[in-house]
Amino acid sequence: MNASNNDFDAIVIGSGIGGLVTGGILAEKEGWKVLVLEKEDVIGGKIYTFEHFDGDEKTFRKILRKNHLSTIVDSKPEISELIERKVFSNYIFEGGWHSYINADRSRLSFVASGLGKEMKVHGSKGFRLFADGKWNSFRYLMRNWTQEDFEEGKKVSREMNLMSKEEAGEYDHIDLRSYLKSRTNSENVRNFHEWLAGYETGHDDPKLISAGEHIKTVSMIHCAGNDLEDGSGGQPEGGFNVISRLFKEIIEENGGEIRTGAAVEKIIVENYKATGVQTSNGVINAPRVICNIPMQRSQKVLEDEYWPKEFKLQIEKNKPLSGILGWINTKKPVDPDFKGIYIMPKLPGCSPEDGFSGDVLFGFEDVATYDSTRTPEGEGLMTVWAGLLPDQLHNPELVQKITKGIFTFYNEYYPGFEENLNWYFLTACDELYSITVTPGMIGDKRLPVKHPLVKDLFFTGDSVTQWSFGVSGAIGGAVNCASAATGKDYSTLMPFYMR
């Protein structure tokens, strides 16, 4: 079978946010007829949202594994009981924790608006840090600062905020701890930025955080008129499927199509030019191919001869951000008046002396406090995450310690928590971000959006050339990919400080 008579201008492999946004830009701005091929039965990739799920356990686990690269490690009641009782049919939740920088002033919001679409976004309000046995504002870290510390803090923050992206990029491969030591002798100032960056990136070790990425992120938030202390994260009302549907709509309004259950077996290359793809149903031809599969797995669809040695070596070096994710549903929010993010730098029983590489960073937010569409009226729905390196993620003993630490904390800090609890499930997620924000993996070490040898073959998503991470990074990769595919500068869809 040959499906080339559909006359598509571009084929996008994968319907993750990078693929959908790239396709949406090309469809709306260029008038291209775009075909998106998704091997799974649902679109959205990692941002897929379970909306009032009433399917069976096999389907639930499959979506978690295939879309979110996650495996259930704990639940209460048992996940089989939750599914059998159709408990999830009352809720809206993702397969893991997601948020994007700057809420309604995010890269995503600007690109959607530039394509003629708007969506309602709820921004998190506030940032709480657990210290000395209680929740505090982030500025609690400054409680013992001297006048000299405050002056040093202003100096360091001013330098970061005034750096251009090019200047900040010079520190992409310098770890944050080393950078801060070179800028200030104040341990208090260094600790402040290390905790801040830990929240941003999901890392508990500042030696694994790129100073350049931290600087660029802080600068972007500052330029948008936000403050990390105020939360500055955001989620679309009704969950992240809203994003997938919005860009799907753009593609289809311009004559394009999205096919699910359509696995690509191979990218077809003729004389070092991409000419289409091979699927189980035959060949589909198009003058351009855009791959939204993360680099670690895209080698499966492109023959080995087209992967330069340098590509392979860098792909082997790049590691994803992993961790324990999950959702906790309560009869009422633990604090209905707080609509922000909670960060605990050290989860109980989860430190180096307990077998971990460092203190395990734990965070959560109750999305039901600012988005009432997600739960029955009055209930709480907390998305939780705990950072864990890939080589420790599948150690059952360590995972059990994290689970114990989470619920030990909740039960000790919130009296009556056990009675307030309805249900929860936790997962081990292999890939929250495609690439961890670590020196040697980001900046100019991210792989290019345009294949250096194969003409008209492009890559998109958060693992390609761009800066930032998660949803913000995926949008940056999508904009750069659309620019490379057309020879036009679509970064102008975003303000200058996001480019």
Side-chain angles (χ1 to χ4, degrees):
M1 173 183 176
N2 190 304
S4 62
N5 58 352
N6 286 300
D7 193 28
F8 294 103
D9 296 297
I11 295 172
V12 177
I13 306 171
S15 68
I17 188 169
L20 290 175
V21 173
T22 303
I25 294 171
L26 297 176
E28 179 64 28
K29 292 297 186 179
E30 297 292 324
W32 287 4
K33 187 176 180 182
V34 177
L35 172 64
V36 179
L37 298 174
E38 170 55 57
K39 71 173 182 176
E40 305 304 335
D41 298 326
V42 294
I43 67 171
K46 296 173 190 171
I47 65 168
Y48 175 77
T49 304
F50 292 98
E51 297 173 306
H52 307 293
F53 180 82
D54 62 358
D56 58 28
E57 181 180 355
K58 182 179 179 181
T59 301
F60 186 77
R61 288 182 181 272
K62 178 185 176 183
I63 292 174
L64 277 177
R65 186 63 216 154
K66 297 293 187 179
N67 283 65
H68 303 285
L69 302 174
S70 296
T71 304
I72 295 172
V73 294
D74 191 27
S75 70
K76 185 176 182 179
E78 290 293 329
I79 200 71
S80 56
E81 180 182 340
L82 289 167
I83 298 292
E84 184 178 352
R85 288 167 42 201
K86 298 191 180 300
V87 170
F88 295 152
S89 64
N90 295 311
Y91 303 92
I92 299 174
F93 56 85
E94 286 71 42
W97 180 79
H98 293 290
S99 185
Y100 48 85
I101 301 168
N102 283 331
D104 59 350
R105 282 174 282 178
S106 65
R107 280 176 167 176
L108 176 62
S109 294
F110 281 112
V111 170
S113 179
L115 301 183
K117 300 290 183 180
E118 303 293 337
M119 59 185 170
K120 188 172 183 179
V121 177
H122 293 285
S124 57
K125 304 295 182 184
F127 189 110
R128 286 182 175 174
L129 180 78
F130 196 80
D132 295 333
K134 61 181 180 179
W135 290 114
N136 306 276
S137 75
F138 199 67
R139 295 197 179 275
Y140 184 76
L141 284 173
M142 300 178 179
R143 67 195 182 282
N144 296 320
W145 281 28
T146 65
Q147 184 60 38
E148 184 180 354
D149 287 330
F150 280 105
E151 292 302 320
E152 284 289 293
K154 290 178 182 178
K155 182 190 74 173
V156 171
S157 294
R158 187 183 304 113
E159 180 183 25
M160 289 183 177
N161 289 332
L162 292 177
M163 276 192 199
S164 67
K165 299 302 176 295
E166 293 73 24
E167 290 169 333
E170 295 177 8
Y171 302 102
D172 281 342
H173 304 303
I174 302 296
D175 70 88
L176 184 61
R177 174 157 291 177
S178 296
Y179 171 82
L180 290 171
K181 281 186 175 181
S182 76
R183 289 303 188 271
T184 178
N185 291 322
S186 170
E187 185 176 356
N188 286 330
V189 172
R190 296 198 299 265
N191 286 341
F192 181 87
H193 279 280
E194 287 178 1
W195 291 131
L196 196 63
Y199 152 66
E200 290 169 12
T201 63
H203 266 306
D204 52 18
D205 186 351
K207 296 189 296 295
L208 296 177
I209 300 172
S210 160
E213 285 285 300
H214 173 64
I215 294 167
K216 284 177 270 192
T217 300
V218 168
S219 176
M220 177 168 65
I221 292 170
H222 173 78
C223 289
N226 288 328
D227 187 330
L228 274 170
E229 186 186 357
D230 295 331
S232 76
Q235 299 195 14
E237 182 175 282
F240 279 75
N241 280 357
V242 169
I243 300 171
S244 301
R245 284 194 286 265
L246 184 148
F247 286 95
K248 175 178 182 287
E249 184 178 273
I250 293 173
I251 291 168
E252 292 178 340
E253 285 175 348
N254 288 276
E257 182 181 346
I258 296 181
R259 299 177 188 174
T260 56
V264 169
E265 298 174 349
K266 184 175 71 170
I267 296 172
I268 299 173
V269 178
E270 298 177 1
N271 296 321
Y272 280 86
K273 182 190 182 310
T275 60
V277 297
Q278 173 73 52
T279 73
S280 58
N281 292 321
V283 172
I284 306 175
N285 293 321
R288 307 163 193 87
V289 176
I290 295 164
C291 186
N292 187 211
I293 305 172
M295 289 292 185
Q296 301 95 304
R297 297 187 294 282
S298 58
Q299 296 177 82
K300 296 178 180 179
V301 297
L302 184 63
E303 292 180 348
D304 191 66
E305 66 178 291
Y306 301 116
W307 289 100
K309 181 180 179 181
E310 294 74 15
F311 264 42
K312 291 182 179 179
L313 291 175
Q314 190 58 44
I315 289 171
E316 290 174 2
K317 292 178 183 177
N318 289 349
K319 304 297 180 185
L321 177 68
S322 58
I324 301 298
L325 308 177
W327 291 87
I328 300 175
N329 172 238
T330 52
K331 296 179 179 67
K332 59 182 181 180
V334 294
D335 185 347
D337 296 323
F338 184 69
K339 308 178 191 303
I341 295 167
Y342 300 79
I343 297 294
M344 174 177 279
K346 182 179 179 180
L347 190 63
C350 299
S351 297
E353 55 266 29
D354 302 299
F356 295 89
S357 60
D359 293 332
V360 173
L361 185 73
F362 174 60
F364 65 95
E365 63 178 318
D366 194 328
V367 298
T369 59
Y370 55 76
D371 185 356
S372 60
T373 68
R374 286 178 171 260
T375 66
E377 185 176 358
E379 293 189 7
L381 187 61
M382 296 185 286
T383 178
V384 303
W385 56 269
L388 198 59
L389 295 176
D391 60 347
Q392 297 184 322
L393 184 64
H394 296 287
N395 182 321
E397 183 180 351
L398 295 182
V399 170
Q400 187 177 31
K401 287 180 179 180
I402 288 179
T403 301
K404 181 180 179 181
I406 291 172
F407 290 100
T408 295
F409 165 72
Y410 280 129
N411 282 302
E412 290 181 354
Y413 191 79
Y414 297 104
F417 178 81
E418 193 65 33
E419 292 73 28
N420 190 31
L421 178 67
N422 281 331
W423 56 263
Y424 75 82
F425 73 89
L426 301 178
T427 68
C429 177
D430 289 304
E431 193 177 296
L432 179 55
Y433 302 155
S434 296
I435 294 181
T436 184
V437 187
T438 297
M441 299 185 196
I442 49 83
D444 59 2
K445 298 300 182 183
R446 284 190 172 107
L447 296 174
V449 293
K450 182 178 181 180
H451 196 290
L453 301 178
V454 179
K455 187 178 179 181
D456 296 320
L457 175 58
F458 306 92
F459 300 95
T460 188
D462 66 337
S463 64
V464 301
T465 303
Q466 53 87 27
W467 60 270
S468 196
F469 39 86
V471 173
S472 179
I475 302 301
V479 167
N480 289 347
C481 181
S483 299
T486 61
K488 300 178 181 178
D489 183 10
Y490 281 116
S491 71
T492 55
L493 289 168
M494 307 179 297
F496 73 92
Y497 56 85
M498 292 184 173
R499 300 172 191 168

